[in-house]
């Protein structure tokens, strides 16, 4: 069997984009004949709860939770995590492989798992999905995050048998010497669950963004830590407003107040254009999928940096799989999967004339042409997990030297 360790709770596993990535890979492993066990971290659990008793089923997978909070107190009380992990491992005889998606606790736990794997001749694989920025939080928080990240990266680079990467950039980052078995697998979906797309019936075009572009818990956030630059995209929309047919930009995931607390420079701009820029706050995942399905375009505007080039947006995967074309910047490996004018419109990642021209062109096409793009997205099945079974099978055979 294969054990997939997750740094998220079981409830989050059902709704969070990052954990959808793990479910996609887990379904491939199940297709290949492996029993997959998922182990997550839930800081809300009582300390005395036995992790073995937290068993529940999600999509047919055995799922467990271990309580841990990434704080100084959590660090001082983290010794029990390894013991509980081993108890779960022992329920399934000896696993053939442990896949670490992030870390259940601080990165030191990955080293403990790696040491156990070497001792017991179990393969250990890292599922690398991001290179995070540490440009937010207090000075102490930034130092702790930086040290933990460096230790996690050292573990990925030095201690693992193989790497499952979401992009070419992060694969190259952790396999500089070309001495590891690696495979590139983007976030995946079971596309059979989606129905055909629909035409937006409103008399104006609807663009939608769903997500949290930066921390919204009151912390100080540097622009370099913005994951999504919807602030630049809003600047663009307001600049071209008079040049294109009527539209509305719906933003889900945060309120207007939360947004302006961080991007306070746009307070007057947002107020002046509040008829086309709408904030809706957080919504449930299923509602979010339907919002995207009904829209003309979904938006993913990111600038090129280490964080955005290493990662791969699950929002993009869901939008294309549902059948809604993207307006986006070409960060990460998106050009490998999408075709400009057919399933998306690529924008330059700087607010310049080229970017403005591309956006005007995208928002000027007819409803019929948008629907053709929707059908192109839906029928591409480019992110269906079944398409990546052979690649992951080859990767595992290389690890086993078959």
């Amino acid at each position: 069997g294969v054990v997939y360790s997750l740094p998220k709770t079981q409830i989050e596993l059902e709704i969070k984009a990052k954990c959808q990535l793990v479910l996609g890979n887990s379904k491939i492993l199940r297709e290949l004949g492996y029993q997959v066990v998922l182990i997550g971290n839930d800081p809300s659990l009582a300390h005395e709860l036995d992790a073995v008793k937290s068993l529940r089923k999600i999509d047919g997978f055995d799922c467990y939770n271990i309580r841990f909070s990434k704080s100084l107190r959590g660090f001082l009380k983290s010794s029990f995590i390894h013991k509980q992990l081993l108890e779960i491992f022992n329920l399934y005889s000896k696993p053939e492989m442990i896949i670490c998606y992030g870390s259940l606790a601080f990165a030191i736990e990955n080293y403990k798992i790696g040491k156990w794997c070497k001792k017991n001749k179990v393969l250990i694989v890292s599922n690398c999905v991001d290179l995070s920025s540490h440009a937010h939080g207090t000075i102490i928080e930034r130092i702790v995050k930086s040290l933990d990240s460096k230790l996690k990266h050292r573990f990925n680079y030095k201690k693992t048998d193989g790497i499952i990467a979401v992009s070419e950039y992060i694969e190259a980052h952790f396999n500089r010497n070309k001495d590891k078995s690696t495979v590139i697998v983007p976030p995946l979906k079971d596309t059979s669950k989606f129905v055909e797309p629909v035409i937006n019936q409103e008399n104006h075009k609807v663009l939608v963004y769903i997500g949290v572009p930066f921390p919204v818990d009151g912390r100080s956030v540097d622009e370099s830590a913005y994951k999504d630059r919807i602030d630049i995209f809003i600047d663009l929309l307001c600049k071209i407003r008079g040049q294109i047919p009527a539209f509305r930009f719906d933003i889900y995931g945060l309120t207007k107040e939360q947004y302006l607390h961080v991007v306070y420079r746009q307070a007057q701009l947002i107020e002046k254009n509040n008829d086309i820029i709408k904030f809706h706050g957080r919504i449930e995942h299923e509602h979010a999928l339907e919002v995207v399905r009904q829209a003309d375009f979904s938006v993913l505007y990111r600038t090129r940096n280490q964080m955005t080039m290493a990662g791969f947006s699950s929002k993009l995967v869901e939008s294309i799989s549902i059948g809604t074309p993207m307006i986006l910047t070409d960060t990460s490996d998106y050009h490998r999967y999408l075709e400009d004018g057919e399933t998306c419109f690529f924008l330059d990642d700087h607010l310049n004339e080229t970017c403005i021209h591309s956006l005007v062109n995208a928002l000027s096409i007819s409803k019929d042409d948008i629907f053709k793009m929707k059908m192109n997205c839906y029928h591409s099945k480019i992110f269906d997990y079944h398409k990546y079974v052979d690649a992951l099978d080859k990767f595992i055979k290389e690890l086993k030297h078959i």
Side-chain angles (χ1 to χ4, degrees):
V2 178
V3 176
Y4 227 132
S5 66
L6 301 165
K8 296 289 179 184
T9 69
Q10 289 178 0
I11 293 176
E12 285 178 322
L13 177 62
E14 297 175 285
I15 62 175
K16 293 291 186 179
K18 282 187 175 181
C19 294
Q20 297 298 317
L21 177 149
V22 170
L23 281 177
N25 290 351
S26 296
K27 288 175 182 178
I28 293 178
L29 293 167
R30 184 163 59 189
E31 290 263 337
L32 294 172
Y34 292 96
Q35 179 184 14
V36 183
V37 180
L38 306 177
I39 304 175
N41 167 22
D42 187 350
S44 68
L45 292 177
H47 267 297
E48 61 272 14
L49 179 66
D50 186 347
V52 171
K53 295 179 182 178
S54 69
L55 173 65
R56 63 180 286 193
K57 292 280 189 179
I58 295 178
D59 272 15
F61 298 107
D62 287 358
C63 301
Y64 297 88
N65 264 345
I66 294 175
R67 186 190 190 283
F68 182 77
S69 176
K70 284 194 174 183
S71 63
L72 179 59
R73 174 179 289 185
F75 179 77
L76 295 175
K77 294 184 176 182
S78 64
S79 59
F80 73 96
I81 286 184
H82 194 63
K83 178 183 177 183
Q84 293 193 331
L85 277 174
L86 297 187
E87 288 177 357
I88 296 172
F89 293 171
N90 290 333
L91 292 175
Y92 298 90
S93 185
K94 187 179 79 171
E96 292 183 59
M97 184 188 307
I98 306 292
I99 302 177
C100 295
Y101 172 80
S103 56
L104 282 166
F106 288 96
I108 191 66
E109 180 55 38
N110 284 1
Y111 272 84
K112 292 180 182 179
I113 295 173
K115 186 176 180 180
W116 181 88
C117 286
K118 298 304 179 186
K119 179 180 178 180
N120 291 276
K121 297 182 179 179
V122 174
L123 292 170
I124 183 162
V125 171
S126 183
N127 193 178
C128 298
V129 300
D130 59 33
L131 295 171
S132 299
S133 168
H134 308 115
H136 55 80
T138 66
I139 293 176
I140 294 176
E141 287 174 334
R142 296 184 191 201
I143 292 172
V144 171
K145 288 176 184 177
S146 179
L147 291 174
D148 187 62
S149 180
K150 287 177 180 177
L151 184 59
K152 184 174 68 176
H153 292 167
R154 181 174 175 81
F155 163 77
N156 292 338
Y157 186 58
K158 295 286 188 180
K159 303 297 182 182
T160 57
D161 296 307
I163 297 287
I164 301 173
V166 295
S167 67
E168 290 180 340
Y169 187 100
I170 203 167
E171 187 270 345
H173 183 84
F174 290 121
N175 195 29
R176 295 169 189 165
N177 298 329
K178 304 297 181 183
D179 56 351
K180 287 184 185 293
S181 294
T182 63
V183 62
I184 297 175
V185 181
L188 302 173
K189 305 295 292 185
D190 181 355
T191 60
S192 66
K193 294 183 177 181
F194 298 128
V195 298
E196 287 196 354
V198 295
I199 297 178
N200 167 29
Q201 297 299 321
E202 299 190 52
N203 58 7
H204 54 264
K205 293 185 176 70
V206 175
L207 290 70
V208 64
Y209 168 86
I210 299 180
V212 182
F214 37 67
V216 292
D217 56 3
R219 287 179 285 172
S220 174
V221 185
D222 188 86
E223 277 194 2
S224 64
Y226 291 14
K227 180 175 63 174
D228 300 326
R229 295 305 305 266
I230 62 172
D231 58 317
I232 297 178
F233 191 73
I234 287 174
D235 286 336
L236 272 168
L237 286 177
C238 295
K239 190 176 183 66
I240 67 170
R241 180 174 182 176
Q243 305 176 43
I244 56 176
F247 69 90
R248 188 179 73 242
F249 183 32
D250 288 326
I251 300 167
Y252 295 84
L254 72 171
T255 64
K256 181 166 70 172
E257 291 71 26
Q258 288 173 319
Y259 178 81
L260 291 178
H261 179 77
V262 178
V263 194
Y264 47 83
R265 70 172 179 86
Q266 284 188 331
Q268 290 186 340
L269 186 69
I270 295 294
E271 187 61 33
K272 183 180 178 181
N273 293 278
N274 62 8
D275 57 326
I276 61 168
I277 310 294
K278 301 290 186 180
F279 290 85
H280 301 274
R282 294 185 62 181
I283 56 173
E284 296 297 322
H285 186 244
E286 288 303 315
H287 183 196
L289 293 178
E290 185 58 24
V291 165
V292 172
R293 181 170 173 266
Q294 295 285 342
D296 293 294
F297 295 101
S298 59
V299 173
L300 185 70
Y301 196 99
R302 294 177 172 178
T303 54
R304 286 174 172 257
N305 55 47
Q306 178 175 269
M307 177 174 58
T308 59
M309 292 303 293
F312 199 107
S313 173
S314 294
K315 295 191 287 287
L316 178 152
V317 171
E318 289 189 324
S319 182
I320 298 300
S321 299
I322 288 170
T324 298
M326 302 286 300
I327 295 176
L328 76 165
T329 48
D330 188 13
T331 56
S332 191
D333 292 347
Y334 303 148
H335 60 280
R336 294 180 55 185
Y337 305 93
L338 305 181
E339 186 175 351
D340 194 36
E342 297 294 325
T343 54
C344 74
F345 285 103
F346 282 119
L347 303 182
D348 195 273
D349 67 337
H350 293 89
L351 208 168
N352 54 31
E353 289 303 315
T354 300
C355 184
I356 291 171
H357 176 77
S358 298
L359 186 56
V360 169
N361 179 51
L363 296 181
S364 299
I365 67 173
S366 68
K367 288 279 189 178
D368 287 342
D369 286 338
I370 291 174
F371 187 67
K372 289 177 184 177
M373 293 184 72
K374 280 179 167 271
M375 296 303 287
N376 290 342
C377 294
Y378 179 77
H379 289 298
S380 72
K381 308 293 182 184
I382 191 64
F383 298 113
D384 189 282
Y385 78 88
H386 295 93
K387 290 193 172 186
Y388 298 83
V389 172
D390 290 344
L392 206 55
D393 185 32
K394 179 182 177 183
F395 166 73
I396 293 172
K397 287 178 178 177
E398 288 177 356
L399 288 178
K400 293 181 175 180
H401 305 294
I402 296 176

